[in-house]
Every structure is written in C-alpha cells, then in structure tokens.
Amino acid sequence: MSDPIITLLLTLGIRSTYRGFRYLHRALQLCLKDENYLLSIYKLLYTDIAAEFHVSRDSVEHCIRTAIFYCWYHGNRDFLCEIAMYPLSRKPTNGEFIDILYHYLKFLEG
C-alpha cells in the first residue's frame, strides 16, 4: 500500500532528498489527523514538527519554503494549479501550499 502523501509530493516534483519533503509529509499527516493545525501553522504545526525532528521552528518554515520554491519553479506547477481549484498567479505561501495539499488529500479520501 503506497502513501498518498509521498505520492502527492513526488508528483509535485518535490524531491525526497529535501528536508522540506519530510517536514511537509509530517505536516500533512498532522493536519489530516487534526485540521486545527491549519489555523496555526507557525505557532502550532511548525512547533510540533520542530520538536519531533529536533530542529528550530524557523528551520521547519525555511525548509518547507525551499520545497515550495522548488515545486513552483522546477517541479510540476501545472499539477499544483490543477489541485488548487483556484487560479495561482504567484508562488503560494507555506500556509496556502499546505492548505491546497490538505484539501486535495481530503478529496482523495472521499
């Protein structure tokens, strides 16, 4: 059985060699268990991920931003725009990106 989060991140062109890949994977796992994380990305979500990976909250934010940058400029931007379900005229913020992926995964769950 494959992990839909990993499949999604790889489809977006985010390489698993990026730390942001691991942080996004964990962020989406947490959000799918408790959508309240979406309401407090920096203070709650990043803090919990940082504690788990023994890094700073700012490091989590930076690594996720780098992964989003790679997706937007070198990855599968067309697929990201398709799953966003609204026009993306600029690179999404970390919160927007996590929200887009979260809702896409919820849609897949049915």
Side-chain angles (χ1 to χ4, degrees), residues 18-60:
Y18 285 111
R19 284 190 180 109
F21 181 96
R22 289 185 220 149
Y23 299 159
L24 279 167
H25 183 266
R26 188 62 181 137
L28 291 165
Q29 285 177 325
L30 291 171
C31 289
L32 288 167
K33 288 181 184 174
D34 182 359
E35 66 182 21
N36 286 317
Y37 277 110
L38 294 170
L39 301 174
S40 186
I41 298 284
Y42 187 75
K43 287 187 177 182
L44 186 58
L45 183 62
Y46 291 171
T47 300
D48 287 356
I49 294 168
E52 184 174 331
F53 286 92
H54 308 290
V55 297
S56 71
R57 180 170 58 174
D58 289 336
S59 177
V60 172

Side-chain angles (χ1 to χ4, degrees), residues 77-92:
R77 185 193 300 192
D78 291 339
F79 181 66
L80 177 62
C81 291
E82 180 184 323
I83 67 171
M85 295 193 233
Y86 60 88
L88 293 173
S89 57
R90 58 169 173 67
K91 178 176 66 73

Side-chain angles (χ1 to χ4, degrees), residues 15 50 61 69 73 76 84-85 96-97 100:
R15 296 180 187 162
E61 188 275 332
F69 177 91
Y73 292 106
N76 193 346
M85 295 193 233
E96 279 180 291
F97 191 81
I100 290 166

